[in-house]
Amino acid sequence: EEQAGLERFNALIAEDSRIEPRDWMPEAYRKTLTRQISQHAHSEIIGMQPEANWITRAPSLKRKAILIAKVQDEAGHGLYLYSAAETLGTPREVLNEQLLSGKAKYSSIFNYPALSWADMGAIGWLVDGAAIANQVPLCRASYGPYGRAMVRICKEESFHQRQGFEILLELAHGTEAQKRMAQDAINRFYEPALMMFGPPDGDSPNSQQSMEWKIKRFSNDELRQRFVGMIAEQVKVLGLTLPDPELRFDEEAGRWVHKDLDWDEFKAVIAGNGPCNAQRLERRREAHENGAWVREAAAAYAAKKAQKAQV
Ligand code: 3HC
């Protein structure tokens, strides 16, 4: 049974087909997908906070409406991804407990503060831009529910990235103070955004297996390269600069050269010692407690409905 299952699994992966929840799969495949998809979901949910803090301070009704829509999208992405993770056998209550207890990881980027309105632009352009670069290949992940969730999410991410770029464009063409604010936001988010793609390939314990199983289609460094190439061009349209004097395209090597990233900072952030880790978890725990009555009411309603159906 196990041997036949493994052969069928390997054949599906080899022919670039999809593994579905009911298919036999190696426990390690199930485990690494539960790890990655749940952390991805946690990232979406925690990622709501930096932007939510600016909804009441948006400079116009139009910007407020756009930001509300974006934060609402992130919540939906999170719920979508928890559903995909649950198909692998771990209930979302367990995944949520892993987040609330501080055990689970979520994207490092959300442990940095959003200090000005221009940060809403930098987050949209750089963070959602990086998320898109990472998520488009994930649409072809070998695990069906994950790949399909990505297709829907990527569609909404492009709106997120464009609205962020537009905020920066407006500020860059505004007063000197607005232009400085936009440049300051880019300066603060550039390196943390590059680190979103994960550690350098030589220091990425999960990559090799993830690539063999066609979960990860490109390595961390390959996607980082692609992203740097994109923003190096886009920043010219803004008339602003990236805070990286070493950034250049090395024709010979055929690759972008950028400044060394601070991987000690990265390790500290994902170990829970970033600028905002405690605040983000505190806020999440509080929101979870404040929402208990909604969950109880929904459960009571469902129980009553089920009871009625039996009568
Ligand atoms: N933040 C936090 N942890 C990170 C990280 C990051 N940016 N990059 C890597 N790590 C962690 C990994 O999770 C792993 O730890 P673990 O084994 O305990 O899970 C460790 O560092 C080593 O990294 P690896 O490269 O070996 O791990 P992966 O093969 O999993 O690659 C990844 C890391 C590229 C982030 C991959 O997990 C991935 O593609 N995840 C899905 C994408 C994702 O999570 N995106 C979040 C973007 S933010 C977002 O979506 C919100 C946006 O819409 C605004």
Side-chain angles (χ1 to χ4, degrees):
E1 159 65 9
E2 172 117 347
Q3 192 46 38
L6 182 59
E7 271 157 32
R8 194 169 128 63
F9 171 83
N10 289 334
L12 286 169
I13 298 287
E15 68 191 37
D16 237 343
S17 282
R18 285 263 150 100
I19 305 296
E20 296 300 337
R22 64 185 172 284
D23 289 334
W24 185 93
M25 62 184 84
E27 274 320 294
Y29 180 83
R30 184 185 303 280
K31 191 163 172 282
T32 202
L33 276 164
T34 303
R35 169 192 67 87
Q36 174 162 336
I37 301 173
S38 61
Q39 287 173 176
H40 198 156
H42 298 330
S43 303
E44 300 282 2
I45 297 300
I46 297 289
M48 293 165 70
Q49 290 187 34
E51 291 168 320
N53 292 340
W54 281 91
I55 289 176
T56 55
R57 294 180 276 175
S60 70
L61 189 57
K62 173 191 163 199
R63 288 290 169 208
K64 183 189 284 239
I66 291 173
L67 193 56
I68 288 175
K70 179 174 189 301
V71 171
Q72 203 174 8
D73 282 350
E74 313 292 8
H77 295 174
L79 298 183
Y80 223 58
L81 286 164
Y82 284 127
S83 303
E86 281 187 315
T87 65
L88 289 159
T90 306
R92 93 179 49 199
E93 291 70 26
V94 172
L95 301 174
N96 194 42
E97 193 35 46
Q98 289 167 356
L99 176 63
L100 295 181
S101 65
K103 267 207 303 287
K105 292 188 171 79
Y106 55 87
S107 194
S108 47
I109 189 72
F110 297 122
N111 290 309
Y112 291 85
L115 301 175
S116 80
W117 171 255
D119 287 27
M120 295 304 106
I123 287 175
W125 177 46
L126 294 174
V127 174
D128 287 76
I132 292 172
N134 165 283
Q135 289 170 168
V136 166
L138 284 172
C139 294
R140 290 187 297 120
S142 56
Y143 187 58
Y146 194 29
R148 290 190 290 271
M150 281 297 112
V151 172
R152 161 78 181 281
I153 287 173
C154 283
K155 286 196 178 75
E156 293 175 340
E157 293 285 15
S158 47
F159 141 64
H160 297 175
Q161 195 246 12
R162 247 201 312 283
Q163 63 83 38
F165 188 77
E166 195 205 17
I167 288 175
L168 292 175
L169 195 61
E170 217 168 301
L171 291 171
H173 294 148
T175 63
E176 265 319 296
Q178 286 174 321
K179 189 167 179 173
R180 268 198 312 279
M181 193 165 79
Q183 184 61 62
D184 168 57
I186 293 172
N187 293 349
R188 283 183 286 107
F189 275 91
Y190 172 72
E191 278 191 59
L194 290 192
M195 293 198 264
M196 278 172 72
F197 292 93
D201 294 349
D203 193 22
S204 165
N206 295 296
S207 278
Q208 213 225 313
Q209 182 61 77
S210 274
M211 290 180 88
E212 273 167 29
W213 279 334
K214 298 183 183 173
I215 298 167
K216 186 179 272 189
R217 293 284 179 166
F218 299 98
S219 77
N220 299 356
D221 287 331
E222 278 173 307
L223 290 181
R224 204 181 340 266
Q225 277 286 315
R226 193 176 296 183
F227 177 64
V228 163
M230 265 167 33
I231 59 175
E233 290 313 310
Q234 292 167 350
V235 74
K236 292 175 191 161
V237 177
L238 292 173
L240 298 171
T241 57
L242 294 176
D244 187 348
E246 294 161 56
L247 186 63
R248 62 184 173 75
F249 187 72
D250 178 341
E251 294 293 344
E252 213 133 287
R255 58 184 295 284
W256 284 91
V257 175
H258 57 72
K259 64 170 39 169
D260 287 342
L261 300 172
D262 186 342
W263 294 110
D264 291 338
E265 177 183 308
F266 173 80
K267 287 191 179 94
V269 169
I270 68 173
N273 308 315
C276 299
N277 296 57
Q279 165 191 339
R280 299 291 187 231
L281 281 187
E282 196 34 51
R283 186 91 184 68
R284 184 83 280 283
R285 288 183 190 118
E286 192 187 289
H288 187 69
E289 271 141 44
N290 293 346
W293 69 273
V294 177
R295 291 191 296 277
E296 281 149 29
Y301 175 74
K304 224 159 106 191
K305 225 170 129 200
Q307 215 176 15
K308 264 210 194 104
Q310 272 152 11
V311 178

